[in-house]
PDB file of all heavy atoms in Angstrom:
ATOM      1  N   ALA A 105       5.433   9.938  -5.945  1.00  0.00           N
ATOM      2  CA  ALA A 105       4.305  10.079  -6.962  1.00  0.00           C
ATOM      3  C   ALA A 105       4.046  11.536  -7.176  1.00  0.00           C
ATOM      4  O   ALA A 105       3.898  12.076  -8.336  1.00  0.00           O
ATOM      5  CB  ALA A 105       3.061   9.214  -6.546  1.00  0.00           C
ATOM      6  N   VAL A 106       3.809  12.240  -6.065  1.00  0.00           N
ATOM      7  CA  VAL A 106       3.408  13.592  -6.075  1.00  0.00           C
ATOM      8  C   VAL A 106       4.533  14.446  -6.760  1.00  0.00           C
ATOM      9  O   VAL A 106       4.330  15.277  -7.716  1.00  0.00           O
ATOM     10  CB  VAL A 106       3.073  14.199  -4.658  1.00  0.00           C
ATOM     11  CG1 VAL A 106       2.929  15.634  -4.707  1.00  0.00           C
ATOM     12  CG2 VAL A 106       1.840  13.501  -4.200  1.00  0.00           C
ATOM     13  N   ASP A 107       5.809  14.090  -6.444  1.00  0.00           N
ATOM     14  CA  ASP A 107       6.919  14.837  -7.178  1.00  0.00           C
ATOM     15  C   ASP A 107       6.963  14.549  -8.577  1.00  0.00           C
ATOM     16  O   ASP A 107       7.328  15.518  -9.340  1.00  0.00           O
ATOM     17  CB  ASP A 107       8.226  14.361  -6.417  1.00  0.00           C
ATOM     18  CG  ASP A 107       8.410  14.935  -4.985  1.00  0.00           C
ATOM     19  OD1 ASP A 107       7.646  15.754  -4.550  1.00  0.00           O
ATOM     20  OD2 ASP A 107       9.254  14.393  -4.212  1.00  0.00           O
ATOM     21  N   LEU A 108       6.783  13.383  -8.972  1.00  0.00           N
ATOM     22  CA  LEU A 108       6.867  13.108 -10.440  1.00  0.00           C
ATOM     23  C   LEU A 108       5.792  13.924 -11.127  1.00  0.00           C
ATOM     24  O   LEU A 108       6.017  14.486 -12.213  1.00  0.00           O
ATOM     25  CB  LEU A 108       6.583  11.552 -10.677  1.00  0.00           C
ATOM     26  CG  LEU A 108       7.673  10.516 -10.482  1.00  0.00           C
ATOM     27  CD1 LEU A 108       7.159   9.172 -10.416  1.00  0.00           C
ATOM     28  CD2 LEU A 108       8.785  10.738 -11.457  1.00  0.00           C
ATOM     29  N   GLU A 109       4.597  14.057 -10.602  1.00  0.00           N
ATOM     30  CA  GLU A 109       3.574  14.769 -11.183  1.00  0.00           C
ATOM     31  C   GLU A 109       4.017  16.242 -11.279  1.00  0.00           C
ATOM     32  O   GLU A 109       3.799  16.939 -12.336  1.00  0.00           O
ATOM     33  CB  GLU A 109       2.256  14.646 -10.335  1.00  0.00           C
ATOM     34  CG  GLU A 109       1.095  14.724 -11.212  1.00  0.00           C
ATOM     35  CD  GLU A 109      -0.208  14.224 -10.540  1.00  0.00           C
ATOM     36  OE1 GLU A 109      -0.465  14.604  -9.338  1.00  0.00           O
ATOM     37  OE2 GLU A 109      -0.923  13.461 -11.195  1.00  0.00           O
ATOM     38  N   LYS A 110       4.577  16.760 -10.197  1.00  0.00           N
ATOM     39  CA  LYS A 110       5.002  18.173 -10.136  1.00  0.00           C
ATOM     40  C   LYS A 110       6.106  18.391 -11.298  1.00  0.00           C
ATOM     41  O   LYS A 110       6.145  19.460 -11.770  1.00  0.00           O
ATOM     42  CB  LYS A 110       5.606  18.434  -8.744  1.00  0.00           C
ATOM     43  CG  LYS A 110       4.487  18.878  -7.799  1.00  0.00           C
ATOM     44  CD  LYS A 110       5.236  19.326  -6.523  1.00  0.00           C
ATOM     45  CE  LYS A 110       4.183  19.350  -5.314  1.00  0.00           C
ATOM     46  NZ  LYS A 110       4.970  19.137  -4.010  1.00  0.00           N
ATOM     47  N   GLU A 111       6.901  17.388 -11.563  1.00  0.00           N
ATOM     48  CA  GLU A 111       7.903  17.532 -12.563  1.00  0.00           C
ATOM     49  C   GLU A 111       7.360  17.350 -13.999  1.00  0.00           C
ATOM     50  O   GLU A 111       8.134  17.377 -14.969  1.00  0.00           O
ATOM     51  CB  GLU A 111       8.975  16.397 -12.244  1.00  0.00           C
ATOM     52  CG  GLU A 111       9.903  16.599 -11.148  1.00  0.00           C
ATOM     53  CD  GLU A 111      10.655  15.419 -10.736  1.00  0.00           C
ATOM     54  OE1 GLU A 111      11.048  14.654 -11.726  1.00  0.00           O
ATOM     55  OE2 GLU A 111      10.844  15.095  -9.563  1.00  0.00           O
ATOM     56  N   GLY A 112       6.017  17.171 -14.062  1.00  0.00           N
ATOM     57  CA  GLY A 112       5.380  17.111 -15.338  1.00  0.00           C
ATOM     58  C   GLY A 112       5.233  15.710 -15.936  1.00  0.00           C
ATOM     59  O   GLY A 112       4.900  15.621 -17.111  1.00  0.00           O
ATOM     60  N   TYR A 113       5.567  14.681 -15.195  1.00  0.00           N
ATOM     61  CA  TYR A 113       5.362  13.367 -15.690  1.00  0.00           C
ATOM     62  C   TYR A 113       3.824  12.840 -15.402  1.00  0.00           C
ATOM     63  O   TYR A 113       3.322  13.177 -14.415  1.00  0.00           O
ATOM     64  CB  TYR A 113       6.217  12.368 -14.895  1.00  0.00           C
ATOM     65  CG  TYR A 113       7.700  12.618 -15.273  1.00  0.00           C
ATOM     66  CD1 TYR A 113       8.512  13.290 -14.384  1.00  0.00           C
ATOM     67  CD2 TYR A 113       8.295  11.913 -16.443  1.00  0.00           C
ATOM     68  CE1 TYR A 113       9.834  13.540 -14.643  1.00  0.00           C
ATOM     69  CE2 TYR A 113       9.653  12.152 -16.706  1.00  0.00           C
ATOM     70  CZ  TYR A 113      10.331  13.039 -15.771  1.00  0.00           C
ATOM     71  OH  TYR A 113      11.691  13.136 -16.089  1.00  0.00           O
ATOM     72  N   ARG A 114       3.334  12.020 -16.317  1.00  0.00           N
ATOM     73  CA  ARG A 114       2.037  11.374 -16.059  1.00  0.00           C
ATOM     74  C   ARG A 114       2.398  10.106 -15.178  1.00  0.00           C
ATOM     75  O   ARG A 114       3.160   9.267 -15.555  1.00  0.00           O
ATOM     76  CB  ARG A 114       1.396  10.968 -17.343  1.00  0.00           C
ATOM     77  CG  ARG A 114       0.044  10.397 -17.215  1.00  0.00           C
ATOM     78  CD  ARG A 114      -0.983  11.569 -16.841  1.00  0.00           C
ATOM     79  NE  ARG A 114      -2.225  10.912 -16.658  1.00  0.00           N
ATOM     80  CZ  ARG A 114      -3.197  10.683 -17.612  1.00  0.00           C
ATOM     81  NH1 ARG A 114      -2.918  10.982 -18.897  1.00  0.00           N
ATOM     82  NH2 ARG A 114      -4.278  10.120 -17.327  1.00  0.00           N
ATOM     83  N   VAL A 115       1.792  10.081 -14.005  1.00  0.00           N
ATOM     84  CA  VAL A 115       2.141   8.928 -13.152  1.00  0.00           C
ATOM     85  C   VAL A 115       1.443   7.628 -13.508  1.00  0.00           C
ATOM     86  O   VAL A 115       0.286   7.543 -13.648  1.00  0.00           O
ATOM     87  CB  VAL A 115       1.683   9.305 -11.670  1.00  0.00           C
ATOM     88  CG1 VAL A 115       2.143   8.115 -10.668  1.00  0.00           C
ATOM     89  CG2 VAL A 115       2.650  10.614 -11.171  1.00  0.00           C
ATOM     90  N   ILE A 116       2.326   6.630 -13.591  1.00  0.00           N
ATOM     91  CA  ILE A 116       1.861   5.246 -13.765  1.00  0.00           C
ATOM     92  C   ILE A 116       2.238   4.460 -12.554  1.00  0.00           C
ATOM     93  O   ILE A 116       3.404   4.433 -12.153  1.00  0.00           O
ATOM     94  CB  ILE A 116       2.360   4.637 -15.064  1.00  0.00           C
ATOM     95  CG1 ILE A 116       1.709   5.295 -16.397  1.00  0.00           C
ATOM     96  CG2 ILE A 116       2.139   3.109 -15.192  1.00  0.00           C
ATOM     97  CD1 ILE A 116       1.873   4.573 -17.750  1.00  0.00           C
TER      98      ILE A 116
END
Side-chain angles (χ1 to χ4, degrees):
V106 170
D107 288 348
L108 282 170
E109 210 164 49
K110 280 187 194 151
E111 288 167 32
Y113 293 96
R114 184 75 184 274
V115 174
I116 287 193

